Amino acid sequence: MKIQLQRKNEAVHFEASSELSDVKVQIDGSESIGGEGKGVRPMELVLMALGSCSVFDLHSILKKQRQEIVDIQVNVEGKRREEIPNIFTHIHITFTLIGKIDEEKAQKAAELAVKKYCSVHDMLAAGGVDITYSINFG
């Protein structure tokens, strides 16, 4: 896997691309380093990676269990330490499942999705990040 970052302005706005997709991602830094709000920040991308990795696996498991999924929403909140580097110390993922979904099956599926199958989870957890999750049913 390989990505490229292309500088887009005289500040810290970059456009990311991957050899696996034609999609471009806009990335920008905080105002304190010259960011202009033209993209997501790198640490936000980490949360997005964790949320999407987890929900892809959760969706797949629930489909295999023949659960009727109308919608899935994911919120991910990270807490960072004060000292530099400001790494995440705790991340919480909240899945909101809408449809005809057995709650017990969903709980087991979420456990597998987050803690067994999600590669991003394992990388962050290996670095000492405490990752928790919860499920809401809509």
Side-chain angles (χ1 to χ4, degrees):
M1 185 178 308
K2 185 176 174 183
I3 64 106
Q4 178 181 3
L5 295 173
Q6 177 65 46
R7 190 172 182 196
K8 300 305 286 181
N9 65 9
E10 297 298 315
V12 292
H13 174 207
F14 286 81
E15 182 175 83
S17 59
S18 166
E19 64 183 354
L20 302 176
S21 171
D22 292 331
V23 174
K24 309 290 186 210
V25 177
Q26 303 303 310
I27 303 170
D28 203 353
S30 66
E31 289 180 12
S32 66
I33 63 167
E36 299 172 334
K38 294 183 177 178
V40 294
R41 295 181 185 178
M43 293 301 275
E44 291 173 316
L45 287 169
V46 172
L47 296 180
M48 290 176 188
L50 177 62
S52 58
C53 179
S54 298
V55 78
F56 291 170
D57 293 325
L58 177 59
H59 180 265
S60 177
I61 294 166
L62 290 173
K63 291 298 269 183
K64 286 177 184 170
Q65 294 176 339
R66 300 185 180 178
Q67 301 300 297
E68 294 181 37
I69 305 164
V70 174
D71 195 14
I72 300 177
Q73 298 167 10
V74 184
N75 289 304
V76 184
E77 183 177 353
K79 298 197 184 312
R80 297 169 69 179
R81 70 180 186 187
E82 293 295 321
E83 58 271 9
I84 295 175
N86 306 107
I87 61 171
F88 288 116
T89 56
H90 178 81
I91 299 173
H92 185 77
I93 307 165
T94 303
F95 300 103
T96 300
L97 305 177
I98 300 166
K100 293 182 181 177
I101 300 166
D102 180 278
E103 290 189 21
E104 187 174 321
K105 285 184 178 182
Q107 291 291 347
K108 288 178 184 176
E111 177 77 15
L112 288 171
V114 174
K115 303 227 170 169
K116 182 174 182 181
Y117 295 119
C118 178
S119 303
V120 177
H121 168 276
D122 287 359
M123 287 191 310
L124 292 169
V129 181
D130 177 36
I131 301 172
T132 58
Y133 65 91
S134 59
I135 301 175
N136 296 325
F137 296 91

